[in-house]
Amino acid sequence: MPETNVVNDAWYAVNGPENDVVLSTRVRLARNLANFPFPSKFKDDDAFRVQTLVFDSFSHCSEPDRYQGVISQELDPLGAEILEERGVLDSKFAKENGSGIIVRTDGKISCEVNTIDHVRLASFVPGLDGDGAFSLAAKVDDELQNTLQFAADYNVGYLTSNLCDSGSGMKVSCRVHLPSLSFSGRLLDLFASLNSKEINVSDCFGAGNLPSSSLGFYYQVSTKIAGNGTELSQIAALVSAVKSLVENERRERSVVLRNRQTELRSKIYTSYSKVKFSSLLDLREAVEIISDIKWGKNLGFFTGIEDRELCALLYRIQNGHLQFFLNSRKFNFPKDISENKELKTRYLRSLTLQESFEKISIR
C-alpha cells in the first residue's frame, strides 16, 4: 500500500453534526465466512484461502479501484503506525500470519482480514452521524455478500468469535470531547448511567491528569453488545446517549464559565502561550493543548479556528503522521537536533501547532 494514499483524503477534517462535542462516528461490522473456523482455530492454508476470498470480493465491489489491500506482513512499519493512529488497524494483529488490511482511498471505509474475525469492516464519518456511518458500512457489506457467504444462524444472527459481537455483528462508537463535564467532576455519574444502558466509555489517548479523566478529555463512547435489537435500534440507542452527553456538556460550559472563569482563562491561555513559545512538544502535551484550544474556542475565548481543524490536528500531531512528513519533505532543523529523530518529531509537532494557530484571536 503506497504510504501517500494512507494519509491523503482526510475525512476527519470535514465538518460534521454536533462537531463542537462529537469528533467522529464509527460503525464496525464483524463477519465470518461459512465453512471456515475462526482465525484463532485456523489450520493449514485456511488463513490464505479466507484472505484470497475476501480480497477478491472487494475487487467485485462498485468502484473496485478505490480499494487498496495489503497483506499485513508486507505492510511497512510506518504505514502500519499511521493506520493504527487512524483507528484502522489493531496493532495486536498487524503481523499475524494471513491477516490483511483493505482501505478505501478516501479513508472512510476499511476492513481488517483474519484478525479476531475473518472480516471486520469499519466506516468513519465526522461528527455525530450514526445513520451515515451505518449506510456506508451496510452498502459495502451488501456488496461483499454478493460473492461471500457469511456464517449466520436464524435465531442468533451473525456468528462471531466474540459472543458480545454475535447478532448484528455491529459495534457503534463516537469520539467525544467533554472538558466542562470533566472539569466540574460530573462525568462519573453520567458514565455510570450509560453503563447501565450497555454503553461503554473508554479513553481515546490514555489517562488524563485529573482523577478518572481521559487525556485531553477525549472519550470513546460505544455499544457493548451486538445482540440487543436491530442495527437501527442499536444505533438509535448510542446516538441518544451521545446526544445526552452533548446537551450536558453544552449546559456545563455555561456553569463553569459563570463560576470558574478565572481558572479557565488561566488554564486555556497558558496552553495557547505554551504553543507560541515552545520549540519541542511531546504527544501528551500536544493533545492537552489542542483540547484546551478547542475548549476555549467553544467557550468564546478564541476566534479564528474551527472544530474540524482541531479534530484534524489530533491525527496530524501523531508520531507516524509526523514521521511521514519528515520522510517526504525537507525541513531546516536547528543544528543541535538535526540528528535526533525524537527531537525532530517534537520540533515538527510544535511547528504544526504554531502554524495551525496563526489566525487565532483572543476575545
Side-chain angles (χ1 to χ4, degrees):
M1 180 184 297
E3 291 175 357
T4 52
N5 290 326
V6 174
V7 295
N8 286 343
D9 301 318
W11 60 267
Y12 46 77
V14 179
N15 282 322
E18 322 293 356
N19 240 169
D20 60 316
V21 178
V22 187
L23 281 65
S24 60
T25 304
R26 184 194 73 166
V27 165
R28 189 220 64 207
L29 302 177
R31 302 285 188 260
N32 288 280
L33 275 62
N35 302 318
F36 284 94
F38 294 132
S40 62
K41 300 296 183 181
F42 277 158
K43 296 179 180 179
D44 303 324
D45 63 347
D46 286 340
F48 174 75
R49 291 168 62 198
V50 170
Q51 183 187 89
T52 301
L53 288 168
V54 175
F55 274 48
D56 181 69
S57 186
F58 272 93
S59 72
H60 292 88
C61 289
S62 57
E63 300 181 286
D65 292 343
R66 297 183 69 189
Y67 294 100
Q68 297 181 327
V70 64
I71 298 170
S72 295
Q73 290 179 319
E74 297 178 359
L75 185 62
D76 65 273
L78 179 58
E81 185 174 7
I82 291 171
L83 290 174
E84 184 181 351
E85 291 170 355
R86 293 182 66 169
V88 169
L89 185 65
D90 189 332
S91 61
K92 296 192 297 291
F93 302 97
K95 295 300 182 181
E96 287 288 330
N97 185 36
S99 66
I101 184 75
I102 298 165
V103 180
R104 203 166 76 176
T105 52
D106 62 0
K108 290 183 177 181
I109 293 288
S110 66
C111 180
E112 291 181 293
V113 182
N114 288 343
T115 55
I116 298 174
D117 295 289
H118 299 153
V119 171
R120 286 206 155 196
L121 180 68
S123 62
F124 303 83
V125 297
L128 178 58
D129 188 6
D131 291 339
F134 177 67
S135 295
L136 272 175
K139 182 177 184 296
V140 179
D141 183 42
D142 288 343
E143 291 182 334
L144 293 178
Q145 295 199 47
N146 289 329
T147 52
L148 297 174
Q149 182 182 355
F150 291 138
D153 178 86
Y154 182 80
N155 294 313
V156 176
Y158 290 105
L159 304 180
T160 59
S161 62
N162 188 329
L163 190 59
C164 290
D165 290 329
S166 294
S168 68
M170 182 177 71
K171 183 173 184 178
V172 192
S173 61
C174 291
R175 282 191 169 187
V176 297
H177 184 231
L178 305 172
S180 300
L181 289 168
S182 299
F183 194 62
S184 62
R186 288 193 54 220
L187 270 183
L188 290 182
D189 288 340
L190 290 171
F191 289 171
S193 175
L194 292 178
N195 187 61
S196 68
K197 300 174 183 176
E198 300 295 340
I199 302 291
N200 186 57
V201 182
S202 58
D203 301 340
C204 284
F205 302 106
N209 296 321
L210 294 179
S212 302
S213 70
S214 175
L215 181 64
F217 310 125
Y218 293 104
Y219 301 88
Q220 180 155 300
V221 184
S222 56
T223 53
K224 284 185 180 180
I225 299 174
N228 290 341
T230 66
E231 288 94 337
L232 295 181
S233 66
Q234 291 170 37
I235 289 170
L238 191 280
V239 169
S240 176
V242 173
K243 280 186 175 179
S244 177
L245 288 174
V246 170
E247 292 165 2
N248 275 281
E249 172 64 22
R250 288 172 179 165
R251 281 197 297 267
E252 199 64 23
R253 280 180 202 155
S254 300
V255 175
V256 295
L257 189 59
R258 182 173 60 250
N259 297 332
R260 303 177 70 176
Q261 184 168 160
T262 301
E263 289 179 80
L264 289 178
R265 287 190 181 273
S266 177
K267 172 178 170 55
I268 291 168
Y269 291 161
T270 297
S271 285
Y272 180 61
S273 300
K274 189 173 186 177
V275 171
K276 292 183 71 69
F277 298 104
S278 290
S279 297
L280 303 169
L281 288 172
D282 64 33
L283 182 58
R284 283 186 63 89
E285 290 175 310
V287 170
E288 289 181 327
I289 288 168
I290 294 167
S291 170
D292 283 344
I293 298 302
K294 180 173 172 60
W295 194 12
K297 181 261 182 190
N298 290 322
L299 287 167
F301 295 172
F302 299 124
T303 59
I305 195 161
E306 299 297 326
D307 288 307
R308 60 177 179 81
E309 297 174 89
L310 292 162
C311 178
L313 274 173
L314 289 169
Y315 294 87
R316 292 175 58 201
I317 54 91
Q318 297 288 328
N319 291 329
H321 284 69
L322 291 174
Q323 189 59 49
F324 172 82
F325 287 109
L326 282 173
N327 293 348
S328 60
R329 300 181 186 180
K330 291 185 178 180
F331 296 93
N332 293 319
F333 292 99
K335 187 176 180 180
D336 59 329
I337 68 168
S338 61
E339 302 300 322
N340 188 311
K341 178 181 175 181
E342 180 184 351
L343 292 182
K344 287 195 295 183
T345 300
R346 292 174 61 191
Y347 187 87
L348 183 56
R349 184 179 288 117
S350 181
L351 284 180
T352 299
L353 292 185
Q354 287 169 2
E355 291 175 359
S356 299
F357 295 167
E358 279 181 344
K359 295 181 180 179
I360 286 180
S361 297
I362 298 176
R363 296 178 65 180

